[in-house]
Amino acid sequence: MNWRKLTSIAEFKEIMVQSSVEGSAFVLFKHSTRCMVSTMALRSFESEYDSEIPAYFVDLIQNRELSNFIATTTDIRHQSPQVISIKNGKPVYAESHHSISAVSASSL
């Protein structure tokens, strides 16, 4: 899995602008390094993800402000672990915990 680490609000704003181009998309995985459920969901996601759509990784422990900004911007309540897929600048898929599906997240 080729993760792109997302660490700042400015980076998130930039990929949101890029994704607003017709047909553009990305997947975002919000992960808590202190949570076993999050670790299991991450492993499962990584083993299933088979897509050319860029996948971004947010470490929630190190980037809480970014996580809160993502929740506000997307209007999707923060959870951990959580996957959000963005297409054309809008969230089109969001799941958390055991409902996370790499196949669904990348079926844009």
Side-chain angles (χ1 to χ4, degrees), residues 3 28-47 57-61 64 67 78-83 95-100:
W3 288 111
L28 181 68
F29 193 103
K30 294 166 66 176
H31 172 62
S32 172
T33 56
R34 295 182 186 158
C35 174
M36 185 53 76
V37 171
S38 190
T39 299
M40 290 186 315
L42 176 63
R43 287 181 185 157
S44 177
F45 187 89
E46 289 177 328
S47 70
F57 179 90
V58 177
D59 179 332
L60 298 176
I61 304 304
R64 177 55 77 181
S67 176
H78 165 76
Q79 299 208 24
S80 170
Q82 185 174 51
V83 170
E95 285 294 346
S96 63
H97 299 88
H98 300 294
S99 297
I100 292 172

Side-chain angles (χ1 to χ4, degrees), residues 11-103:
E11 290 172 322
F12 179 71
K13 286 179 178 180
E14 183 178 324
I15 63 171
M16 284 296 284
V17 168
Q18 292 170 0
S19 77
S20 65
V21 174
E22 186 65 30
S24 295
F26 68 93
V27 174
L28 181 68
F29 193 103
K30 294 166 66 176
H31 172 62
S32 172
T33 56
R34 295 182 186 158
C35 174
M36 185 53 76
V37 171
S38 190
T39 299
M40 290 186 315
L42 176 63
R43 287 181 185 157
S44 177
F45 187 89
E46 289 177 328
S47 70
E48 294 176 358
Y49 195 79
D50 184 27
S51 177
E52 296 299 315
I53 298 170
Y56 290 86
F57 179 90
V58 177
D59 179 332
L60 298 176
I61 304 304
Q62 293 182 352
N63 300 290
R64 177 55 77 181
E65 183 181 2
L66 170 59
S67 176
N68 292 338
F69 184 81
I70 291 167
T72 301
T73 302
T74 61
D75 200 28
I76 297 171
R77 189 175 137 246
H78 165 76
Q79 299 208 24
S80 170
Q82 185 174 51
V83 170
I84 302 170
S85 299
I86 306 286
K87 183 172 184 177
N88 301 330
K90 305 280 185 210
V92 294
Y93 172 85
E95 285 294 346
S96 63
H97 299 88
H98 300 294
S99 297
I100 292 172
S101 164
V103 173

